[in-house]
Amino acid sequence: MGPGEYLTARFRTASAHYRGDVDVGELYAAQAARWRAADPLLPAPEPPAPDPVLVPGGAGWTTRNDVDPEGMSASWTGLRNHGLSALVAGPDPAAALGALLDRWEPRLGPPDDDESTAEVVWPSRDTTPLLALARHGFAPAVVLAAGPTGRAAPAPATDVVIRPARGADVGVVARFGLEIVRYDGRFGALGERPSTLPRLVEGYAAALARPIESVWLAERDGRPVGMCSVDPPGYADEARGLCAAPTVGYLGSMYVDPAARGGGIASVLHAVADGALAAAGAGVTLLHHAVPNPVSTPFWYRHGYRPLWTHWQRRPALRAPARR
Ligand SMILES: CC(C)(COP(=O)(O)OP(=O)(O)OC[C@H]1O[C@@H](n2cnc3c(N)ncnc32)[C@H](O)[C@@H]1OP(=O)(O)O)[C@@H](O)C(=O)NCCC(=O)NCCS
């Protein structure tokens, strides 16, 4: 029995709410083909897990993840996160995704919990089902963008000096990291918590202890005015599965002091980081950015990045109906 037959046998089934036949193996094959056609950098969809929620043209799997407020992830998300992954195909993938979102709704309470997030992470270029997310009140909050490594435009001439950060710089590097969280916090997906600065200090201390350069400071007259950090291929395990390229690097942070912006400092930092990632063997660089960020979004797209995955979010996960 081939994998396709296995899936068909296992999931040719009717759920408690939907009594028609849904062939999950066929859904998987159709979605995988659509993703391949939409974007060569996409990996194949996750293979179907048991016990899907079934609707006409769709199968979905839900998760709930409680986040430790003391952990680093608590700065990137709400504390009670609901996730939906799905296979949708057929004549109307948006209708199938919409039906799955409707089925998900009762699981997202209690209503008005500001620490709850409902999130669907979908390939940015597989646009056929997206209308369902927009119509269900989800917004594109964060994008994982991808760009070819080693092709940064030559760094513009500036009066700043770029140097690798050292262990003793961890305080200033983490402060810059905190300013990124504070600024991106204005757009709703991430936000500062009491644990943010201590976790950033730990994370950057680990990056500074690597045997390979991963963090750089931009200095003007000996004073730090900017910072960029990366995870070279050997340290970018989390990013690797999100992209079909054999070797990926991850650009984790970029910051320039507000008084020094608009003079090319981030462009110089990017050129250095890009060269280092290319030297470490990366073929593609991935990075996250908040979609509404009016300075980082244009910066990244001008520097050759483009969206790969979009995080569609609703926070709170569920709103109580308005009282009349
Ligand atoms: C995003 C960010 C790092 C960009 O830093 P920056 O140093 O201002 O970036 P650059 O100067 O290289 O490029 C930005 C602008 O300066 C222009 N510029 C670039 N080189 C220049 C030069 N030599 N002289 C004058 N202007 C220049 C660019 O064309 C661009 O202008 P535009 O936006 O009007 O088109 C900075 O705005 C920042 O720290 N933002 C807050 C934190 C953040 O969002 N981080 C990214 C998280 S993903």
Side-chain angles (χ1 to χ4, degrees):
M1 198 190 254
E5 288 165 274
Y6 167 77
L7 294 171
T8 304
R10 190 171 169 98
F11 294 113
R12 188 175 275 284
T13 169
S15 80
H17 296 263
Y18 172 58
R19 300 242 159 251
D21 262 357
V22 176
D23 185 327
V24 178
E26 272 175 24
L27 286 180
Y28 181 81
Q31 181 157 299
R34 209 176 61 233
W35 284 17
R36 265 197 310 276
D39 191 338
L41 280 184
L42 280 175
E46 284 285 312
D51 303 323
V53 175
L54 298 172
V55 297
W61 293 265
T62 62
T63 54
R64 188 192 142 132
N65 180 22
D66 289 321
V67 173
D68 174 5
E70 294 304 314
M72 188 73 250
S73 340
S75 300
W76 314 138
T77 66
L79 296 181
R80 289 170 281 284
N81 297 323
H82 299 265
L84 172 75
S85 59
L87 298 172
V88 290
D92 194 347
L97 185 58
L100 286 170
L101 294 172
D102 290 338
R103 291 280 305 279
W104 194 24
E105 197 89 6
R107 303 185 189 192
L108 299 178
D112 292 339
D113 171 8
D114 280 334
E115 282 292 353
S116 69
T117 307
E119 181 176 80
V120 180
V121 184
W122 203 262
S124 308
R125 289 183 173 178
D126 180 30
T127 52
T128 39
L130 297 185
L131 188 59
L133 290 163
R135 292 287 191 263
H136 282 73
F138 286 75
V142 171
V143 150
L144 181 81
T149 315
R151 307 235 196 111
T158 65
D159 58 349
V160 301
V161 173
I162 309 292
R163 67 161 175 88
R166 299 181 281 267
D169 298 313
V170 69
V172 68
V173 169
R175 272 275 152 205
F176 283 161
L178 182 65
E179 291 305 323
I180 300 175
V181 174
R182 286 179 175 163
Y183 186 68
D184 269 343
R186 297 177 185 185
F187 313 116
L190 45 153
E192 182 183 2
R193 296 186 190 274
S195 59
T196 302
L197 185 58
R199 293 299 88 76
L200 287 172
V201 168
E202 288 165 12
Y204 287 118
L208 291 168
R210 290 173 186 158
I212 182 167
E213 280 178 18
S214 304
V215 188
W216 296 268
L217 281 174
E219 291 182 332
R220 177 177 278 153
D221 302 326
R223 195 178 67 84
V225 291
M227 179 273 288
C228 179
S229 76
V230 299
D231 296 324
Y235 298 87
D237 282 352
E238 277 180 45
R240 210 177 45 201
L242 299 169
C243 179
T247 47
V248 302
Y250 182 73
L251 196 153
S253 30
M254 175 70 90
Y255 183 76
V256 172
D257 187 273
R261 289 182 194 162
I265 296 176
S267 302
V268 180
L269 281 164
H270 176 254
V272 171
D274 179 65
L277 286 175
V284 168
T285 302
L286 301 178
L287 59 89
H288 285 101
H289 71 86
V291 175
N293 184 324
V295 284
S296 73
T297 301
F299 178 84
W300 294 125
Y301 292 82
R302 208 181 298 109
H303 284 79
Y305 294 82
R306 52 81 164 181
L308 179 62
W309 293 94
T310 303
H311 292 240
W312 290 79
Q313 288 183 356
R314 205 169 68 184
R315 182 169 173 175
L318 192 65
R319 277 242 179 261
R323 293 217 185 96
R324 288 173 190 275

